[in-house]
Structures are given as structure tokens and as C-alpha cells.
Amino acid sequence: MESRKKVFENSFLYIFSSLLVKAINFLLLPLYTYFLTPEDYGITNMVTSFSNVAIYIVAFSLYSAIIRFYVDYKDDRDKLKRFFGTVLVFVFFSGIIFFIIIFISRYFVIKTFFKGISYIPFILIATLTLIFLTLHHVHQNILKGMQKGKKLVLINLIVFFTTVSFNLLFIIAFKLGALGILLSTLIVNILYFIFLLVDLHNNDLFKLCLDFKLLKGALKYSIPIIPHDTSTQIAQFASKVFINKEDSLGNVGIYGVSNHFGSVIDLIQASFNHAFQPWFFENMLEKSKKNRQNIISLSSFLIIIYSFVYIGIGLFSQEVIILLLPKSYALAWTVIPIFVVGFSIKSIYYFYVNILYYYKKAVKVLFIATISGSLLDIILAFYLVPRYGMYGAAIAFVCAKIIVSSIVVILSKRFDDIGYRVLSMLKIIMPSLIFMGLGLYFSYTKYLTAFSWRVLIYKILMCVIYIIFIYFTNKKHVINAVNIVKRLLKKQNS
């Protein structure tokens, strides 16, 4: 019971902190875009996407190994200290080697990936930051493995607010633009590095060493995970590289703002899935027909909740961007509905992938889906971006999500058919996309970069009609889900 309580408590903390950070970032977006030109925003987006790929390569995806091997070593304090020390030392030197490689090949790297961005200071700072950023992630995963949810959330919030403070100082007071954002990230990660050393030392969790036997076991586990960890990030980075080469850094920045809005959907879906997954595993373990029916009902209810998010972001992001962001970012909203379609398809992936995570053998084939989707994303972006710019990249993203979700559905059926039906899920998802499309008709045809009260009222009316429609067409799922939640709360209180 204590372990189960810990899972739900940590899930709630992760969801709360993630949503809080995202909400504050949204409130700060008008401020950032006021002081950062689309070109500045493009530079920060390119560097961030590059870092999102590189942290797994530099660390050899050892983040997953930390959580897995903690379970094996937690009762042997000396071995655990040697393991954590080995990982930290290895990742530190790996980061230095990566920094040197990028420095030596800087002309090729700039020409291939960072058109219009100079090595000094931008890429130099980014690669230097990577050394400390990877160690930052190592410490975060140590805390996750030890289930220190409260401590992790508190640290993340302190880091976030510290980063925001430095960002505002550098871009408002010193007017450093994109350079200010990169310097802020570097300083915060250096400070975090000092903190993690003190924290691990004070808790007797670290021994400075390089145990090759422990390292070999960890790398044997983590290296096969690298393709799964990096494939999606590589596809996103590739899309921005293509947009930059074929168009401009400014459009990379506009595309980044669009993706920022769309990613809110994924954050909500992923956060709910963190809480849903432990409950899903428990119900799968009991293998009763009633439990599986409960899974289907609650899953359908969650898709209904997601559908409100789809239509809300898809319809009203235009007003938010036009009213709050500078005019140079006005067209960013036009890409968001395409992202909404992609992330709505990904919701199907989240439910079916839990089946693969439940069966340990199934996890080994999960990379088939992620790599296939990412390759398709890169190939389509390569051909579509020269013709359609950032819209081509967004369309490639949607196609990739269709492929990934389809493969996950097919793979999950090989291990268990618990009663999920793609058609039933689409019956809930598609109406939200149709209503979104109808609500955006006048925005695309008459008011592309202008705010209109008439259009806003029309969109609100479409939302109201959709809510009435979804209630009467899915009343059964809503009632069943409410009853499940009531039973869960009653069980927890008892």
C-alpha cells in the first residue's frame, strides 16, 4: 500500500510541476517574443533541439540504466556509490570528448546543421553547456530511481525560476537576445553541477571512481535504448535544419512558437498517462473482464478530456498569438491546427503503448515504431519543407505520428487484445477535429493575421455546440468513468 501510495503521490507531483512550469512559460512567452526577434527565437530553438538529441548520445542513454540498476544495488551502499560515481565520471568525460569533436569539426557542423549561426559564441556555449546538462539529467534520474518525488519537484521548480530570472536579466537588462538565453542555461547548469556534487556527498551516494565492470553492465543495458530515446528528437531537429536551410532562422522561430503551443497537448496527455499507467498495470495484473472494461471506460473518458484540449488550443491559439505576441509571430497560429491533428493521433499511441510497457518482452520491439516514425518524419520533411516551408515540416510530423501509432497498435495486438478499438477512439477524436476545422474557416479565409470579435464569438459558439454533442454521444463513457474515479477515491480513503 505504501509503495502504491508513493507512485500516485509522485505522479501527482510530476503532473503538477510540469503543468505549472508550462503555464508560467506560456505567461512569459509574450515577454520573450517581445525582446527576442524570430531570428533569436530560431537560434534558441535550433540549439535546444540539438541539445535534446545530444544529451542521450553524450550520456549513452545511461539515464534509463540509473533507474533500472538502482533497484539491484540499493541494498549494497558501497556498490551503489561506485555505480553512481562511475556513471557521473563517464558522462563527464564523454561530454568533454563530444565538446572537442564538435570544436574540431565546427566548420562542417555549422555548414550542415546551423546555417546562419556562428560557432562563437552560440554553438561553443551550447556544447559547453551539454557537459553540465547531461550531469544534471543523471542527478535527476538518481532522484527518480530513489522515488524522491517531493525533492525532485522542489529542485526542478528552483531551477526553473532561477533560469527564468537569468533569462529576464540577460534579455531585458543586458539586451543579449539569443545569447542571453544560452548564457542563462550555461550558468544555471554549472550551478546545478556544484549542487549535485554537494547533494550526493551529503547523502553518501557518490564515490569518485570508474568501475569498468559496473560501467559495462550499465552500457549493455542503455546503448540499445539510444535509438528509441533519440529518434523523435532527431526528427524534430532535422525539420528545423531543413526549414533553416530552405527558408530562414526567422521561420524556425515562428515554427518553434507553433510547436510550443502544440506541445501543451502532449504535456497534458503524457502527464495524465504517468498517473494512468500504474493504475493500468494493476488492473492488467488481475486479468479480470471487469477490470479490462474499467480500463476501456476510463481510457475513453480521458480521450474525451483530451478532445476538449484539442479544440481549445486549435481554435483559440490565433487570438492568443495575435493579441499577445509581436506581429512578426502572427502566422505562427496557422501551423498549430496541424500539430493538433498530430498530437490527437498520438493519444491513441499512449493507450496502446501501455500494453507494450506491461509485457517486458514487448519493450524490446518498441524501437521499431519510434525509429520508423522518425525516419518517415525526416524523409517527408526533406521533400516537403522546400515546397511548403514550416507547413511541410508539420505535415511530416502528422504522418510520422500516424505511422508510429499504427505500428504500436499492431505490436500490442501480438501481446494482448484488452478491448481497445482504434475506430472507437477515432469516433471521439474526429468530431473535435471537424469542429476545429469548421471553427477556423473564417480565420484561414478572411482574418489570417487580424483579430475579429465576430470570429471569436463564432468559435465560442462552435465550442458550445461541440460540448453538447460530445455529452450526448458519449454519456455512457462519462458516467462509467465518474463511477470508476469514485471507487478509486473511496478505496484510497479506506
Side-chain angles (χ1 to χ4, degrees):
M1 282 297 293
E2 185 63 30
S3 176
R4 188 184 303 170
K5 183 182 176 184
K6 198 81 173 174
V7 170
F8 280 103
E9 182 183 279
N10 287 338
S11 297
F12 170 77
L13 288 169
Y14 296 151
I15 293 169
F16 171 76
S17 62
S18 297
L19 292 176
L20 178 63
V21 167
K22 198 71 177 181
I24 295 171
N25 265 329
F26 248 92
L27 293 174
L28 290 170
L29 188 61
L31 191 63
Y32 283 150
T33 51
Y34 181 80
F35 288 97
L36 295 174
T37 65
E39 288 74 19
D40 284 329
Y41 214 78
I43 291 171
T44 59
N45 265 266
M46 291 291 293
V47 169
T48 300
S49 290
F50 168 73
S51 298
N52 288 341
V53 175
I55 54 172
Y56 293 106
I57 296 171
V58 170
F60 287 78
S61 281
L62 281 166
Y63 309 126
S64 301
I66 290 168
I67 296 173
R68 175 63 187 85
F69 284 87
Y70 170 75
V71 177
D72 294 339
Y73 302 151
K74 65 179 180 179
D75 295 325
D76 187 336
R77 174 64 66 166
D78 183 64
K79 199 170 188 179
L80 183 65
K81 286 163 60 177
R82 291 181 66 80
F83 175 67
F84 287 158
T86 295
V87 171
L88 284 166
V89 169
F90 176 79
V91 170
F92 177 73
F93 282 108
S94 176
I96 291 174
I97 292 169
F98 186 84
F99 176 83
I100 294 169
I101 291 171
I102 296 297
F103 175 76
I104 293 170
S105 59
R106 59 190 180 280
Y107 298 113
F108 170 78
V109 170
I110 295 296
K111 184 179 178 181
T112 308
F113 302 113
F114 297 105
K115 176 191 169 186
I117 305 174
S118 59
Y119 177 79
I120 298 175
F122 300 111
I123 309 305
L124 176 66
I125 292 174
T127 48
L128 184 60
T129 302
L130 264 173
I131 298 170
F132 302 100
L133 185 61
T134 50
L135 296 170
H136 181 151
H137 280 261
V138 168
H139 184 252
Q140 296 267 299
N141 281 277
I142 288 173
L143 295 178
K144 285 180 184 177
M146 297 175 72
Q147 295 189 51
K148 301 287 186 181
K150 290 180 182 177
K151 182 177 179 178
L152 179 60
V153 168
L154 178 62
I155 290 169
N156 284 342
L157 291 176
I158 292 172
V159 168
F160 171 72
F161 286 113
T162 305
T163 304
V164 168
S165 300
F166 275 115
N167 283 345
L168 297 180
L169 175 67
F170 287 139
I171 67 172
I172 296 175
F174 298 150
K175 302 187 185 304
L176 293 176
L179 178 60
I181 300 293
L182 298 181
L183 280 173
S184 171
T185 307
L186 174 61
I187 292 168
V188 169
N189 278 283
I190 290 174
L191 292 173
Y192 192 96
F193 172 65
I194 297 168
F195 162 74
L196 77 86
L197 291 178
V198 173
D199 182 58
L200 292 176
H201 175 74
N202 289 344
N203 289 283
D204 195 28
L205 287 169
F206 171 73
K207 188 172 185 179
L208 189 64
C209 66
L210 191 60
D211 189 317
F212 287 100
K213 186 177 179 181
L214 294 176
L215 180 62
K216 182 180 177 182
L219 290 174
K220 191 176 179 181
Y221 176 88
S222 68
I223 288 175
I225 301 174
I226 294 176
H228 174 68
D229 284 342
T230 58
S231 56
T232 301
Q233 302 297 341
I234 290 171
Q236 291 178 359
F237 179 53
S239 293
K240 292 174 183 177
V241 170
F242 297 146
I243 294 171
N244 185 30
K245 280 193 169 184
E246 298 295 333
D247 215 325
S248 65
L249 270 173
N251 273 355
V252 174
I254 293 171
Y255 182 80
V257 170
S258 304
N259 198 16
H260 190 71
F261 275 78
S263 64
V264 173
I265 296 171
D266 201 40
L267 174 69
I268 292 170
Q269 292 181 159
S271 298
F272 270 102
N273 194 56
H274 283 314
F276 174 80
Q277 197 177 65
W279 178 84
F280 173 87
F281 289 163
E282 286 182 10
N283 280 269
M284 287 289 288
L285 196 62
E286 295 181 24
K287 296 187 181 297
S288 72
K289 187 176 179 181
K290 184 180 178 182
N291 282 26
R292 297 199 170 202
Q293 287 174 344
N294 286 340
I295 289 173
I296 304 304
S297 293
L298 190 54
S299 299
S300 298
F301 180 63
L302 287 175
I303 295 177
I304 292 170
I305 292 175
Y306 299 157
S307 70
F308 291 130
V309 179
Y310 305 151
I311 198 166
I313 291 176
L315 283 182
F316 301 108
S317 57
Q318 178 189 15
E319 283 70 25
V320 173
I321 287 174
I322 288 175
L323 292 176
L324 299 181
L325 272 57
K327 288 183 179 180
S328 53
Y329 291 92
L331 285 176
W333 80 265
T334 59
V335 188
I336 294 171
I338 304 175
F339 278 122
V340 171
V341 174
F343 284 118
S344 68
I345 293 166
K346 193 177 178 181
S347 66
I348 298 172
Y349 159 89
Y350 276 116
F351 291 106
Y352 277 94
V353 82
N354 284 330
I355 299 173
L356 297 179
Y357 278 119
Y358 177 74
Y359 292 97
K360 294 176 182 177
K361 290 182 180 179
V363 178
K364 295 178 181 178
V365 299
L366 185 57
F367 76 93
I368 296 172
T370 51
I371 290 178
S372 300
S374 298
L375 282 174
L376 179 68
D377 196 340
I378 294 168
I379 293 168
L380 286 178
F382 179 78
Y383 286 105
L384 293 176
V385 168
R387 291 187 178 186
Y388 307 107
M390 57 186 178
Y391 302 100
I395 292 168
F397 170 82
V398 173
C399 295
K401 294 309 162 196
I402 292 172
I403 291 297
V404 171
S405 299
S406 300
I407 293 173
V408 166
V409 169
I410 293 167
L411 290 174
S412 69
K413 296 286 186 183
R414 289 173 52 187
F415 292 90
D416 200 339
D417 185 358
I418 67 170
Y420 279 148
R421 295 293 177 265
V422 173
L423 188 60
S424 299
M425 293 179 176
L426 288 175
K427 282 181 180 178
I428 301 173
I429 294 169
M430 288 307 296
S432 68
L433 301 181
I434 292 170
F435 274 88
M436 179 185 74
L438 292 172
L440 290 171
Y441 175 76
F442 295 108
S443 295
Y444 276 109
T445 56
K446 292 186 177 181
Y447 299 94
L448 200 62
T449 57
F451 173 79
S452 167
W453 281 107
R454 280 191 244 176
V455 172
L456 179 60
I457 293 168
Y458 169 68
K459 288 179 180 180
I460 293 171
L461 180 63
M462 294 302 295
C463 266
V464 172
I465 295 171
Y466 175 72
I467 291 169
I468 295 169
F469 169 83
I470 207 74
Y471 176 76
F472 284 107
T473 54
N474 294 276
K475 193 174 181 180
K476 181 183 174 183
H477 291 311
V478 174
I479 293 170
N480 287 341
V482 169
N483 289 333
I484 292 168
V485 172
K486 283 181 179 178
R487 287 198 297 270
L488 282 171
L489 292 173
K490 188 177 179 181
K491 187 178 178 182
Q492 242 186 333
N493 292 331
S494 60

